[in-house]
Amino acid sequence: MSRPASRSNDFALAFAAAHAGAGLTRVPINQILQTISENPAFLFSKELKQLGGRCPVHADTSQDDMDKVTVNTLLAFLFHGLKAYVEAGLPVDDEGRIRLVPPPRSAYALDPTDRASLGGVPVEVMCSFLRDCTCHLLDEIITRWMADVLVEEEHYRTLGSGEISAVAAASFLLHTHMEDSALYQRAGYDALSITKTGSHTAIHIGWALVEAAPLLVPGRDAAFYDDLVRRSAKQVIPLAMVSLGMLVHYMEAGGIEPHDGLAIHLLPKEQTAFTLNESGLICLSPEPITPFRKEGEQYYTGCPAFYAPGLINLYLDIVATIAREYAVYDRLLQR
């Protein structure tokens, strides 16, 4: 079952303390976004490129840290339009269920519209396939969203009048900054790949939450698990507030991170990340927290999607809906 219950905020407090102990300071992107909202010209300011003007820049402040804060701020700004875009772009079938399509490079010759056939494959295969389908679904929507953002940017460029929208400006500055950044050039990331990777992480955590429910509270029906997962979703949101390095180390220590880093693997039974709190909700255990800091790193922001209200919750809700519509809980009870 589970370890002894803990207070709901133990995890967030323990992770914040671990960051401080590792010598990491959180840059409050929400405050930078508020400044941009009040004065869009701040997008073009020198301060935005220097930790958003929220933390002192010293001689030993790394350019990587400053680039990270700038890029994550601009992504977070753009992400404010992504939630509505995803909601509007979710395909549904004639019965109002989310319509999945097979991923182009799926390892399984399965059809997500053939629910009877899916019910006949091993639960590990079914969950892996549905995880892959979920990632592919979000990838397609995010690709269209980014294309529309670039169209808006190009529209103002071709006007030649000097007029520009805040979205177009943020897009231009984001892509320019990433092209000029040694950090992102080394990693080979652009705005689209970062956005997709972030959605994959949220999807992976969402599916892990679904798969943890029958492990922690066995023997209940699908309606119980669907309700439990939806009420517990906010308990995993603090993972989006942490540094990337500590997120990866936590997922590895807690048994969430698979050996190949892909978001398509079923949560192992021996995982230690998920437990139950005093209210009977699924939450994250502080035990796997592992302090970590890259050499020269002093600042972190958390995931840009955290600063776009409701976006991560939407990703988690999409996963929970697919799990319910495909009767995943009934299969998980057979593990």
Side-chain angles (χ1 to χ4, degrees), residues 115 207 210 222 226 230 319-329:
R115 296 166 189 263
W207 274 109
V210 164
D226 181 62
R230 292 177 188 278
V319 170
T321 299
I322 293 171
R324 182 192 65 211
E325 292 177 349
Y326 280 84
V328 169
Y329 296 112

Side-chain angles (χ1 to χ4, degrees), residues 105-139:
R105 293 179 295 275
S106 175
Y108 310 108
L110 297 171
D111 181 355
T113 65
D114 188 350
R115 296 166 189 263
S117 295
L118 277 178
V121 301
V123 63
E124 292 83 2
V125 173
M126 180 183 186
C127 287
S128 176
F129 180 67
L130 290 177
R131 281 168 165 263
D132 202 4
C133 287
T134 311
C135 289
H136 179 60
L137 170 67
L138 268 297
D139 280 355

Side-chain angles (χ1 to χ4, degrees), residues 32 35-36 39-54 70 73-74 169 173 177:
I32 305 174
T35 299
I36 295 172
N39 177 24
F42 188 77
L43 284 167
F44 297 93
S45 70
K46 179 180 178 181
E47 288 81 3
L48 178 62
K49 296 181 180 181
Q50 297 182 337
L51 305 178
R54 296 295 164 176
T70 302
T73 298
L74 292 169
L173 292 168
H177 198 84

Side-chain angles (χ1 to χ4, degrees), residues 227-289:
D227 176 68
L228 175 61
V229 165
R230 292 177 188 278
R231 289 189 296 113
S232 301
K234 65 181 180 181
Q235 302 293 326
V236 304
I237 296 296
L239 269 183
M241 301 169 59
V242 308
S243 70
L244 178 58
M246 287 188 65
L247 171 63
V248 172
H249 278 71
Y250 179 85
M251 292 173 66
E252 290 176 345
I256 304 176
E257 180 74 2
H259 65 282
D260 56 8
L262 299 178
I264 60 173
H265 300 289
L266 185 67
L267 180 73
K269 292 182 179 180
E270 60 272 16
Q271 67 83 30
T272 59
F274 296 98
T275 185
L276 296 177
N277 68 12
E278 72 283 357
S279 301
L281 298 176
I282 302 171
C283 65
L284 293 164
S285 168
E287 292 178 18
I289 293 175

Side-chain angles (χ1 to χ4, degrees), residues 58-243:
H58 300 293
D60 62 345
T61 302
S62 72
Q63 186 62 49
D64 283 0
D65 271 354
M66 290 192 286
D67 288 350
K68 177 173 58 182
V69 172
T70 302
V71 166
N72 286 348
T73 298
L74 292 169
L75 282 169
F77 180 83
L78 291 173
F79 285 175
H80 277 68
L82 180 56
K83 176 176 180 288
Y85 197 98
V86 172
E87 289 175 324
L90 275 178
V92 295
D93 62 20
D94 293 339
E95 298 181 29
R97 300 175 300 190
I98 294 177
R99 178 165 50 82
L100 299 175
V101 296
R105 293 179 295 275
S106 175
Y108 310 108
L110 297 171
D111 181 355
T113 65
D114 188 350
R115 296 166 189 263
S117 295
L118 277 178
V121 301
V123 63
E124 292 83 2
V125 173
M126 180 183 186
C127 287
S128 176
F129 180 67
L130 290 177
R131 281 168 165 263
D132 202 4
C133 287
T134 311
C135 289
H136 179 60
L137 170 67
L138 268 297
D139 280 355
E140 287 192 333
I141 297 174
I142 288 169
T143 298
R144 293 197 302 270
W145 167 76
M146 182 60 73
D148 285 351
V149 170
L150 292 175
V151 166
E152 180 170 342
E153 179 187 336
E154 183 62 22
H155 166 72
Y156 283 98
R157 180 181 290 111
T158 57
L159 285 180
S161 64
E163 178 188 0
I164 190 169
S165 70
V167 167
S171 174
F172 168 75
L173 292 168
L174 173 62
H175 291 92
T176 300
H177 198 84
M178 295 187 77
E179 290 170 0
D180 294 339
S181 167
L183 170 65
Y184 292 99
Q185 291 304 304
R186 288 196 308 269
Y189 277 122
D190 58 18
L192 179 60
S193 61
I194 287 180
T195 304
K196 288 183 177 180
T197 299
S199 75
H200 291 178
T201 301
I203 289 165
H204 178 53
I205 296 298
W207 274 109
L209 177 62
V210 164
E211 294 154 3
L215 295 177
L216 297 173
V217 191
R220 305 302 290 267
D221 62 18
F224 173 87
Y225 293 127
D226 181 62
D227 176 68
L228 175 61
V229 165
R230 292 177 188 278
R231 289 189 296 113
S232 301
K234 65 181 180 181
Q235 302 293 326
V236 304
I237 296 296
L239 269 183
M241 301 169 59
V242 308
S243 70

